[in-house]
Amino acid sequence: MMAEDKFDDGKIEEIKEHQTPEKLYQDLIERVQKYHPSDDITLIEKAYHTAAEAHKQQLRKSGEPYIIHPLCVAIILADLELDKETIAAGLLHDVVEDTILTKEEIERDFGPDVALLVDGVTKLQSLQLSTDYKDKTPDQLEMQAENLRKMFLAMAKDIRVILIKLADRLHNMRTLNYMPPEKQHRIAQETLDIYSPIAGRLGISKIKVELDDLSLKYLKPDVYYDLVEKVSERKSEREQYVEDIVEDVRKHIEAAGIKGEVNGRVKHFFSIYKKMRNQGKTLDQIYDLFAVRIIVDTVKDCYAALGVIHEMYKPIPGRFKDYIAMPKPNMYQSLHTTLIGPTGQPFEIQIRTYDMHRAAEYGIAAHWKYKEASDGKKVETQEEEKLVWLRQILEWQRDMSDNQEFMNLLKSDLNLFSEDVYCFTPQGEVKNLPAGSTPIDFAYSVHSAVGNKMIGAKVNGKLVPIDYRIQNGDRIEVLTSQNSKGPSRDWLSIAKSTSTKNKINQWFRNELKEENVARGKELLTAYCKAKGIEISDLSKSEYMDIIIRKYGFHDWDAVLAAVGHGGLKEGQIINKMEELYEKEHKKNITDEEVLAAVADTSVTPKISGKGNAIIVKGVHDVAVRFSKCCNPVPGDDIVGFVTRGRGVSIHRSDCVNVIKMAQEDRSRLIDARWENESAEGGEKYTADIKIFANDRNGLLADISRSLAENNIDIQAMNTRTSKQGLATLEISFEVSSREELKTLIDKLRMIDSIIDIERATG
C-alpha cells in the first residue's frame, strides 16, 4: 500500500518569485523532460530565445523583465503536461500583440500549429469578458455577447487556445498585487465569472481552485484574510484530527486487501466561503473543512473501499454521490460520501481510481489528443465528450438574435453558477440538466419534436404536473400526442433552461409567423400613434433594409415577427427609423443660400434643449447644433459651419475638424458667438478632456474624487495604459462655462502623477 500523510492542495505547483529568466527556463525544460517522450527541445528553445529578444526592452508592473511572464505561463502548461507546440505558443503568446513580430513571422519560424495558437490567444487578449448584463445598454450588451461568442469560437477552433489563456490568467492572478485596485477588482470578477467556470467545465481542478481562491482574495479581501486567519488558528488540531482518520482508514483498507493511497487535504478557501454563504453558517459551524481521498487501481476497488468506509463510520443520509456511474458534464468521476467522525464531527471522503484522479486534476489536458505517445503516434481519448457543452453553445448562438437571451444561456446552461441534476430516460440513459429543471426541460433535452408534442410526464412511474422539480435519480417518461397543438406560452415561465425557452420561442416564431407579423405591425403602429409619429414617413425600403441588416434578419416580415413575439421591442425599431428619417430630412442649405447668408443680418436661433443662445450671422430658420467632435461650452471661441442637409454645426475655433473642412470649402464658414458667456438657468454643456499620467495605484480614485468634490457628474470614461506605464484617460462630463472647465482642469493638474491635460479637438 502506498500512503501519503501530507496535505495535498490540488493546485498547480507554485513558481518561486524573483527568479532569473535563465533559472526559470531551466526549470521549464526539466519539467517538460519529466513527461515528454522526446529529448528534442529545439522548438521550445527557439521560442524562448525569440520571446526573450522580442520582450527585452519591456518590464512588468513588478519591475521584473517581461519575459518572466511568458516563462511562467509555459511552466504552468508544462505542469499540465501539454505538447511542445503548446509550450512554444505559451512562450510566444504576447509577442504579436506587444512587439514588432507578426503572425506571418511566427508561422514561418515555428509552423502553422504554433502560429494558429498564438493568433488565437492574441485575439482573446483584448476581449473584456463578463456575464454581468444588468443595467447595460443594448450596445454594451451586444459587445459583451459578441466577445463571449468570439472566445467560444476560438476554443472550438483549437481548445489549446483556451488552455494557454487559462495559464496566462493564472499567472496574472498570482501577480495581481502589482495592479491598481480598480483593475484588481475587474480582473478578479472576470476570472470568477468566466475563466474559473471554463476551467471547471474542462475538468482542470488544479487551475480552477486556485483561480477561485485568488478571485476571492481580491473581490472580498476581508472575507479571504479572515478565513485564512481563522482556519490557521486551529490548523494543527484539525490536521491531527484528519491524520488520525487517514491512519485509521489506511489500516482498514489494507486489511481488506485493497491497494491504493490515502491522503487528507484542507478544503479551499473559496469552497469554504461558498458553503458559509449558501448555508448561512459561520466558520465554527462548518466542521467538514477537510476531506480524505482514497485513490485505488480499479472501479471495483472504489466500491469495495466504499463498503469498508461505511462499516467504519456512520454515513450521513442524502450525502452520498456516485459520480462514477453518473459523471459530471466535464467527465469528472469519483465517489463522494460524508460521514460522522469518531468525535461526532462530519467529514468527507472521496474515492477514485488513479485515472479518475488524473482526469480530475488535469481535465481535458490529461487526455490531450495532440500529445505524442511514446511511439510517436497521436493519442485519441475522451476529451471530445468534455466539449459537448461547447458544441451546444455554438449551436444555440447561431439560433439566437437576442443578446440578453444568450447571456442568460451562459448563466444557466453553461452552469457558471448552478449545479446539475441527474435523471434517467426510460431506457436508462443519464441526462444532466440545470438544478430546478422540470419535465418540460427534460422533454426538450431529448429533442425539440418531443417537447413540442408533450402533453404530460411520469416520474418514477407516477403522473406529475409539468412544473415538477426534477430530483437526482428520477426516471422521467414524457407523454406525447400527435394531436398536441404545441407548447403553451405558460411553459416559458415554468421551464428552467434557457435553451428550452429558446426552443419554445422558436416554435412560436415558426408556427405562428403570420400571427406574429400582424401583431408586430399593430405594436409598431400603436407605438407611433402614442408618440405622435407618422408611421408612413418611416416606412421606406432603405430604412427597413438598414434595420434588417442591423438585427441580422432575412426580411422585413421577420423583423415584424420578432416584434410580435417579443424578441425585439417596438421602441428599438421606431427610434432607429426616426433617427434615419431626421438625418435625411434636415433642411438642406444650397451653396447659393450660404453665399447669401454671409451678407445677411444676424439672427438668434435657440439651441434645442439649451437656455443659452448662439448668435449666427446670416442664417435664418435652420437647425443649429453643437458639434460632438469638440463640444464647445459658453466662453469658447466658436465658429459656424454650414453642412449640406444638416443645418449649421457649431465648433470651437481650434477644432481640427472645422479647420480641415474650412480648407476644403471656406465659403461655408459663418461667424458665430455666444449671446452670454455663461449658461443661464443652470444649463450644462458636455466637455471632453484627455488626461495623460504616469499610471499608479489610486490614480483613478483621486481623479474621480476631485470631480465629485466639484459636483461634476461623469458621463463617460475610457482608460488605457501602455506597456511603459503611461495612462491615458478620456473623460466626458457637463459644465456651465469655459471658466468652470478651466478651474476644474487646474485642480486636476495638481493631482500627483498627472503629466498633462488637454481638451478634445476633434
Side-chain angles (χ1 to χ4, degrees):
M1 152 101 46
M2 295 172 62
E4 283 285 346
D5 288 329
K6 69 177 181 179
F7 286 79
D8 172 25
D9 68 358
K11 296 179 182 177
I12 293 282
E13 186 178 338
E14 284 279 8
I15 302 160
K16 291 180 182 177
E17 285 193 42
H18 308 304
Q19 291 193 66
T20 64
E22 293 74 20
K23 285 185 178 179
L24 283 172
Y25 175 67
Q26 194 55 45
D27 185 10
L28 170 64
I29 295 305
E30 288 172 4
R31 297 188 195 213
V32 171
Q33 289 178 334
K34 281 181 185 177
Y35 70 85
H36 205 283
S38 169
D39 291 329
D40 182 9
I41 59 163
T42 53
L43 184 72
I44 296 174
E45 186 175 27
K46 185 178 180 182
Y48 167 62
H49 290 303
T50 300
E53 178 64 24
H55 292 299
K56 67 180 179 182
Q57 301 297 332
Q58 297 174 348
L59 298 176
R60 298 202 83 210
K61 293 284 186 186
S62 61
E64 294 177 313
Y66 193 86
I67 189 61
I68 296 286
H69 171 63
L71 273 167
C72 290
V73 169
I75 288 171
I76 292 169
L77 295 169
D79 281 342
L80 294 175
E81 301 187 1
L82 290 165
D83 60 314
K84 287 186 289 188
E85 287 80 8
T86 309
I87 305 293
L91 288 166
L92 297 165
H93 78 274
D94 273 337
V95 297
V96 173
E97 183 185 24
D98 295 341
T99 76
I100 59 172
L101 284 179
T102 65
K103 179 190 173 186
E104 289 71 29
E105 289 172 316
I106 299 293
E107 184 168 357
R108 181 194 66 203
D109 294 340
F110 297 94
D113 218 16
V114 174
L116 176 72
L117 297 177
V118 172
D119 184 55
V121 177
T122 301
K123 287 175 179 174
L124 293 184
Q125 301 288 61
S126 61
L127 301 186
Q128 297 285 320
L129 302 172
S130 171
T131 56
D132 178 21
Y133 54 85
K134 292 179 182 177
D135 303 322
K136 297 293 183 186
T137 66
D139 287 344
Q140 289 172 323
L141 192 65
E142 185 174 354
M143 184 181 294
Q144 283 186 337
E146 185 59 31
N147 284 343
L148 287 162
R149 284 186 171 106
K150 286 177 182 175
M151 184 179 67
F152 292 126
L153 288 169
M155 290 167 63
K157 201 168 187 179
D158 194 320
I159 198 68
R160 290 177 294 177
V161 169
I162 204 66
L163 296 181
I164 298 169
K165 186 61 186 173
L166 287 173
D168 173 56
R169 179 50 60 105
L170 177 56
H171 185 249
N172 281 335
M173 289 295 293
R174 286 176 175 176
T175 56
L176 201 57
N177 56 303
Y178 296 106
M179 287 289 185
E182 296 83 3
K183 278 193 176 180
Q184 288 177 350
H185 192 277
R186 179 184 65 76
I187 292 170
Q189 190 64 60
E190 183 181 86
T191 299
L192 195 63
D193 283 351
I194 303 294
Y195 291 106
S196 172
I198 285 175
R201 272 294 193 169
L202 296 176
I204 314 173
S205 68
K206 288 178 81 72
I207 285 183
K208 175 179 168 53
V209 294
E210 192 172 354
L211 289 179
D212 282 339
D213 281 357
L214 289 169
S215 297
L216 180 65
K217 178 180 176 180
Y218 290 102
L219 290 172
K220 296 185 179 293
D222 294 344
V223 171
Y224 177 81
Y225 287 111
D226 186 54
L227 276 177
V228 171
E229 183 181 346
K230 288 182 177 176
V231 168
S232 63
E233 279 175 4
R234 297 170 57 195
K235 185 177 180 182
S236 57
E237 179 187 332
R238 289 194 182 101
E239 285 189 355
Q240 187 58 53
Y241 168 69
V242 176
E243 284 177 9
D244 291 344
I245 291 176
V246 166
E247 186 60 32
D248 197 22
V249 168
R250 184 184 300 121
K251 287 177 182 177
H252 282 77
I253 294 293
E254 283 179 342
I258 301 169
K259 294 180 181 180
E261 296 180 21
V262 182
N263 58 58
R265 66 178 182 90
V266 64
K267 288 193 173 180
H268 302 290
F269 293 118
F270 187 74
S271 174
I272 297 170
Y273 163 69
K274 274 208 308 185
K275 183 168 285 192
M276 290 168 59
R277 184 189 63 187
N278 294 342
Q279 297 179 7
K281 293 182 177 179
T282 65
L283 186 69
D284 294 334
Q285 295 172 308
I286 296 176
Y287 296 104
D288 54 336
L289 299 179
F290 292 90
V292 175
R293 185 176 288 151
I294 302 171
I295 307 176
V296 295
D297 290 328
T298 66
V299 172
K300 182 180 177 182
D301 288 342
C302 289
Y303 289 101
L306 179 69
V308 171
I309 297 305
H310 280 185
E311 284 182 3
M312 292 174 61
Y313 305 106
K314 184 177 180 180
I316 297 177
R319 296 299 301 274
F320 169 66
K321 294 179 181 177
D322 187 346
Y323 293 121
I324 294 178
M326 293 183 291
K328 288 187 176 183
N330 61 10
M331 304 310 294
Y332 171 87
Q333 290 184 289
S334 191
L335 299 176
H336 291 197
T337 184
T338 304
L339 311 151
I340 301 295
T343 61
Q345 293 183 350
F347 70 97
E348 185 182 66
I349 284 187
Q350 300 170 358
I351 308 170
R352 61 180 67 153
T353 67
Y354 288 100
D355 285 343
M356 291 173 192
H357 180 64
R358 179 174 172 76
E361 296 291 284
Y362 295 94
I364 198 168
H367 302 290
W368 191 244
K369 68 179 179 181
Y370 292 94
K371 189 165 54 184
E372 291 178 5
S374 56
D375 59 0
K377 295 179 180 177
K378 302 291 183 181
V379 180
E380 292 287 344
T381 53
Q382 294 178 321
E383 83 282 353
E384 289 300 324
E385 295 178 48
K386 292 178 183 288
L387 300 180
V388 169
W389 61 275
L390 178 58
R391 288 199 298 272
Q392 285 177 337
I393 287 172
L394 294 174
E395 288 172 11
W396 288 330
Q397 73 176 21
R398 281 195 293 268
D399 296 332
M400 289 184 183
S401 60
D402 190 311
N403 288 314
Q404 184 159 327
E405 191 175 8
F406 181 59
M407 303 295 278
N408 276 327
L409 178 141
L410 297 179
K411 287 273 190 178
S412 58
D413 293 84
L414 183 52
N415 289 310
L416 294 182
F417 301 105
S418 61
E419 293 295 325
D420 280 355
V421 62
Y422 297 87
C423 53
F424 297 92
T425 67
Q427 293 74 35
E429 180 189 349
V430 179
K431 288 280 183 184
N432 59 283
L433 302 168
S437 290
T438 66
I440 299 172
D441 298 289
F442 179 88
Y444 278 97
S445 75
V446 175
H447 197 279
S448 295
V450 175
N452 292 337
K453 295 295 182 183
M454 186 178 84
I455 57 171
K458 287 184 178 180
V459 174
N460 305 323
K462 295 181 180 179
L463 282 169
V464 295
I466 58 172
D467 61 355
Y468 169 83
R469 293 290 184 255
I470 296 173
Q471 306 297 312
N472 276 322
D474 280 348
R475 181 174 172 273
I476 317 291
E477 181 183 354
V478 179
L479 306 177
T480 62
S481 170
Q482 292 303 314
N483 297 322
S484 167
K485 294 182 180 179
S488 163
R489 287 195 181 272
D490 294 340
W491 290 11
L492 291 169
S493 60
I494 296 171
K496 169 71 175 178
S497 162
T498 307
S499 66
T500 298
K501 294 176 184 178
N502 185 44
K503 289 172 182 176
I504 294 170
N505 274 323
Q506 207 167 29
W507 185 87
F508 283 115
R509 285 197 290 269
N510 295 335
E511 296 296 318
L512 305 175
K513 186 172 180 180
E514 288 185 12
E515 181 183 317
N516 287 329
V517 168
R519 176 162 172 73
K521 285 180 181 177
E522 290 174 7
L523 289 170
L524 291 180
T525 302
Y527 184 87
C528 287
K529 189 174 181 180
K531 298 289 183 180
I533 300 168
E534 287 291 337
I535 194 168
S536 58
D537 291 341
L538 308 183
S539 302
K540 283 193 172 184
S541 58
E542 54 264 38
Y543 302 164
M544 293 177 180
D545 288 341
I546 291 171
I547 298 294
I548 290 166
R549 287 197 301 273
K550 178 177 172 63
Y551 293 102
F553 289 101
H554 297 297
D555 53 35
W556 185 245
D557 275 358
V559 175
L560 294 174
V563 174
H565 69 69
L568 279 175
K569 297 296 183 186
E570 52 270 29
Q572 287 176 265
I573 305 300
I574 296 300
N575 291 342
K576 180 62 180 174
M577 295 177 81
E578 192 176 23
E579 181 186 317
L580 295 169
Y581 176 85
E582 287 179 355
K583 192 178 289 186
E584 183 181 354
H585 288 79
K586 288 284 187 182
K587 182 172 179 179
N588 289 326
I589 302 176
T590 66
D591 289 340
E592 290 75 15
E593 288 174 321
V594 173
L595 294 172
V598 177
D600 206 342
T601 57
S602 296
V603 293
T604 308
K606 285 279 187 179
I607 302 300
S608 177
K610 301 291 182 184
N612 194 45
I614 293 175
I615 298 174
V616 181
K617 181 183 178 183
V619 177
H620 299 262
D621 193 27
V622 295
V624 178
R625 61 186 177 82
F626 290 117
S627 171
K628 291 183 179 179
C629 62
C630 58
N631 282 328
V633 300
D636 284 333
D637 289 335
I638 55 174
V639 65
F641 190 84
V642 181
T643 56
R644 296 181 192 275
R646 297 189 67 185
V648 177
S649 60
I650 304 298
H651 295 257
R652 297 206 324 261
S653 57
D654 63 346
C655 175
V656 295
N657 283 341
V658 81
I659 292 170
K660 184 179 177 182
M661 290 187 291
Q663 289 172 346
E664 294 173 358
D665 189 354
R666 191 169 183 81
S667 65
R668 294 185 179 277
L669 283 181
I670 295 182
D671 290 339
R673 63 180 174 83
W674 298 96
E675 186 176 26
N676 299 295
E677 288 297 299
S678 61
E680 296 177 350
E683 292 295 336
K684 295 290 185 180
Y685 294 77
T686 299
D688 293 334
I689 63 171
K690 275 188 182 180
I691 299 177
F692 303 95
N694 292 316
D695 195 23
R696 63 168 172 84
N697 287 345
L699 174 64
L700 192 59
D702 288 346
I703 293 171
S704 300
R705 191 181 305 112
S706 180
L707 293 170
E709 287 171 355
N710 288 275
N711 296 316
I712 298 296
D713 291 328
I714 298 173
Q715 292 182 322
M717 180 182 291
N718 181 41
T719 66
R720 59 183 183 275
T721 306
S722 71
K723 293 293 181 183
Q724 290 73 36
L726 180 67
T728 304
L729 298 88
E730 298 174 355
I731 309 177
S732 293
F733 49 84
E734 290 188 332
V735 293
S736 59
S737 68
R738 186 170 183 270
E739 190 59 37
E740 182 185 3
L741 179 59
K742 182 179 180 299
T743 302
L744 183 65
I745 289 175
D746 289 342
K747 289 181 179 179
L748 290 173
R749 287 186 193 278
M750 297 172 67
I751 295 174
D752 182 39
S753 300
I754 288 185
I755 301 169
D756 194 17
I757 302 175
E758 66 180 36
R759 288 183 66 185
T761 58

